[in-house]
Amino acid sequence: MSKTKQTRSLTEGPIGTSLLMFALPILAGNIAQSLNGSVNAIWVGKFLGEAALTATANANNIMFFLIGSVFGIGMAATILIGQSIGAKDLPQARRVMGTSATFFISLSVVIAVLGWFLSHRLLLAMGTPAESLPMADAYLKVIFLAMPLLYAFAFITAALRGAGDARTPFRFLLLAVLMDIAFNPLLIFGVGPFPELGIAGAAWATFFSQGLALAGLMLYLRNKRHMLWLGRKDIGLLKIDTVILKALVVKGVPMGLQMILISLAMIMMISMVNGYGVETASAYGAAMQLWTYVQMPAMAIGAACSTMAAQNVGAGLWPRVEATARTGVLFNFLLTGALIAPIILFDRSTLALFLPAASEALEIGRHLNHIAVWSFLFFGVNFVLSGVVRSTGAVLPPLLILAIGMWGIRVPFALWLQPRFGADAIWWSFPVSALCSMLMIMAYYRWGNWRSASILDKPAQATPAEVPATPPSPVADPDVELER
């Protein structure tokens, strides 16, 4: 019985249609995840109070940091799989799957164990308010238990997307979200036979939903004999391939460092916000719930662009790589802009979902949202172009650009201008740093040498001679060619 090829070729057909059709399941998955987080925040904020919402905001920042510490390995594996699929080298894609799965999941277990013992100290170090600290610690310890499940699920779904299969990850992500939403009130309030666990119940809901969805996904891939499924006969592929491992580490660590830099900056920002009290901290937490929706189109389009670019790099179709970048930037402005307008117009109603109606935090949230939410237009361009650049293996320039934007601009801007402008310095640091980062990545995309990079020591394909030295800028050239 042959394995089913549940993939979508991204090396042929209209660029715009192919990109949009591949991005839609990713976007739907992002929406589902964000709705899940928002529903959880509503349960916690409305029924457990502002201190509990602040606790989850602080704990989730640490969780994002720990995911980022290994996420780069998964991103590198996705690029390798995408390039292998584009080059029609299925054996290489399966070798990448085996090596990266062994390394990625083993590392996630180590991080989860360390995190369990360090959770309280981490929360103290980031200045979590005293009234929120016990709840944040109870929540975070359970999240650490769920880390291997979260990592494994994220890695497998990313690998499937690298092979062009975006629908299967969406189906099981939706299953996980629905189960999480259902488990939350049962475990928070102790409905029926379930124990009353308070804020820890929200974390246990994540644990059970992720575990069940992961088990279902693996059974599905096994029964469908998916091209990337590794069964007992493929056990040898789980042995570490040193060439692949070197590529995963050398290319994955810089991509993981990007996530770490972002999460450390987020921790730094929320530590500054915590200094203004629970009302400001809870307003910031509620605004971040809205921001997850604003950034969803850019993240979905950027992920789709990265996979499409990787497959076309593997196939040697460089004109399609360039067209993918231009189309992704255009889609980002259209879709992200369409979300920012209603978020601003109806911000009182949306923020009131997470905060009590009479809370002082509501007006603080409206104020900071008006200043900071526009930064996601610039963020989207950065996300799309960085994904395309990384698809060739050029991972260090995006890392340096991000480091400058986050730690050379955002954090110093917020720190140095607070004595003069107060909390507004924190809110303005978002659009200022995002704009600067966008300009830097645009310059590197146009004039950098990313097209000659390789993710493996011995690339399967050489960079074609017909690649132009300085192709048109994706923003300066608005006439996006949707078909090649």
Side-chain angles (χ1 to χ4, degrees):
M1 182 178 178
S2 63
K3 295 180 182 291
T4 57
K5 294 187 178 181
Q6 296 172 307
T7 61
R8 179 184 179 89
S9 174
L10 302 175
T11 60
E12 56 190 16
I15 295 289
T17 302
S18 297
L19 183 63
L20 189 60
M21 290 300 101
F22 188 71
L24 283 177
I26 302 176
L27 177 59
N30 289 345
I31 292 173
Q33 283 184 308
S34 296
L35 284 173
N36 183 30
S38 297
V39 169
N40 293 351
I42 290 171
W43 284 115
V44 172
K46 284 284 192 179
F47 297 98
L48 299 182
E50 293 176 354
L53 183 62
T54 301
T56 58
N58 279 267
N60 285 336
N61 273 282
I62 294 176
M63 180 179 69
F64 185 69
F65 166 76
L66 292 169
I67 289 175
S69 64
V70 296
F71 187 65
I73 306 299
M75 293 176 68
T78 300
I79 293 170
L80 277 170
I81 290 172
Q83 289 189 6
S84 300
I85 295 298
K88 303 187 185 301
D89 189 352
L90 179 57
Q92 173 71 355
R94 287 164 57 76
R95 285 192 294 271
V96 173
M97 186 73 177
T99 294
S100 54
T102 299
F103 182 64
F104 186 86
I105 296 174
S106 298
L107 187 59
S108 73
V109 171
V110 173
I111 290 173
V113 171
L114 291 175
W116 167 271
F117 291 105
L118 295 175
S119 64
H120 188 77
R121 294 181 181 179
L122 290 171
L123 290 165
L124 280 174
M126 62 187 293
T128 304
E131 57 266 48
S132 300
L133 184 59
M135 289 183 287
D137 191 37
Y139 178 87
L140 189 58
K141 282 187 180 296
V142 180
I143 288 295
F144 278 126
L145 289 178
M147 280 291 178
L149 301 175
L150 290 165
Y151 291 162
F153 187 84
F155 164 70
I156 294 174
T157 55
L160 293 176
R161 291 186 187 121
D165 181 5
R167 293 182 180 180
T168 299
F170 167 68
R171 293 186 185 116
F172 285 92
L173 177 59
L174 183 60
L175 175 64
V177 166
L178 293 176
M179 287 191 294
D180 199 347
I181 291 174
F183 281 135
N184 254 281
L186 301 179
L187 294 173
I188 290 176
F189 305 113
V191 178
F194 296 93
E196 183 179 352
L197 300 175
I199 195 171
W204 280 111
T206 298
F207 179 93
F208 290 124
S209 62
Q210 287 290 318
L212 292 171
L214 176 62
L217 175 58
M218 296 181 71
L219 285 173
Y220 175 84
L221 296 178
R222 176 181 179 274
N223 291 336
K224 292 293 184 180
R225 298 181 61 82
H226 194 280
M227 61 190 297
L228 294 181
W229 169 254
L230 304 180
R232 283 180 292 181
K233 294 181 179 179
D234 306 307
I235 197 72
L237 293 176
L238 295 174
K239 182 180 178 180
I240 296 292
D241 182 309
T242 56
V243 175
I244 295 174
L245 178 60
K246 181 181 178 182
L248 292 175
V249 173
V250 171
K251 302 299 184 179
V253 167
M255 288 189 282
L257 283 174
Q258 292 184 59
M259 302 294 291
I260 293 174
L261 287 175
I262 292 172
S263 57
L264 284 175
M266 290 173 63
I267 290 172
M268 187 69 177
M269 301 305 285
I270 200 169
S271 297
M272 287 187 271
V273 171
N274 285 336
Y276 291 89
V278 171
E279 289 80 10
T280 301
S282 61
Y284 182 61
M288 285 196 297
Q289 289 293 326
L290 295 178
W291 295 351
T292 59
Y293 293 97
V294 176
Q295 67 186 357
M296 282 190 301
M299 294 182 70
I301 294 166
C305 284
S306 184
T307 299
M308 176 177 278
Q311 288 197 14
N312 284 285
V313 167
L317 301 175
W318 287 87
R320 289 181 63 88
V321 175
E322 308 289 344
T324 296
R326 296 195 300 272
T327 306
V329 169
L330 177 64
F331 282 174
N332 163 70
F333 278 118
L334 292 176
L335 298 180
T336 303
L339 279 181
I340 287 177
I343 287 289
I344 291 294
L345 291 173
F346 305 107
D347 61 345
R348 183 184 295 275
S349 299
T350 51
L351 286 167
L353 291 172
F354 312 107
L355 298 166
S359 172
E360 294 181 11
L362 187 60
E363 289 304 315
I364 298 174
R366 293 185 66 229
H367 174 69
L368 73 90
N369 205 36
H370 286 194
I371 295 173
V373 73
W374 303 99
S375 65
F376 290 100
L377 281 173
F378 313 135
F379 160 83
V381 177
N382 199 335
F383 202 84
V384 168
L385 295 185
S386 293
V388 173
V389 165
R390 285 193 300 262
S391 70
T392 65
V395 297
L396 287 178
L399 172 63
L400 294 175
I401 289 171
L402 180 70
I404 294 171
M406 288 289 179
W407 290 95
I409 299 173
R410 178 175 296 181
V411 172
F413 187 100
L415 278 174
W416 296 343
L417 294 182
Q418 276 186 80
R420 181 177 178 86
F421 298 106
D424 277 3
I426 302 175
W427 318 143
W428 276 107
S429 71
F430 285 91
V432 170
S433 61
L435 175 61
C436 293
S437 296
M438 181 189 75
L439 295 176
M440 285 187 285
I441 193 64
M442 286 172 60
Y444 179 73
Y445 175 86
R446 182 178 176 91
W447 293 295
N449 63 349
W450 59 275
R451 298 162 189 83
S452 62
S454 173
I455 196 165
L456 287 174
D457 287 338
K458 295 181 179 180
Q461 291 83 22
T463 303
E466 65 269 19
V467 179
T470 55
S473 166
V475 176
D477 180 10
D479 298 322
V480 178
E481 184 178 44
L482 297 182
E483 297 189 17
R484 284 276 181 181

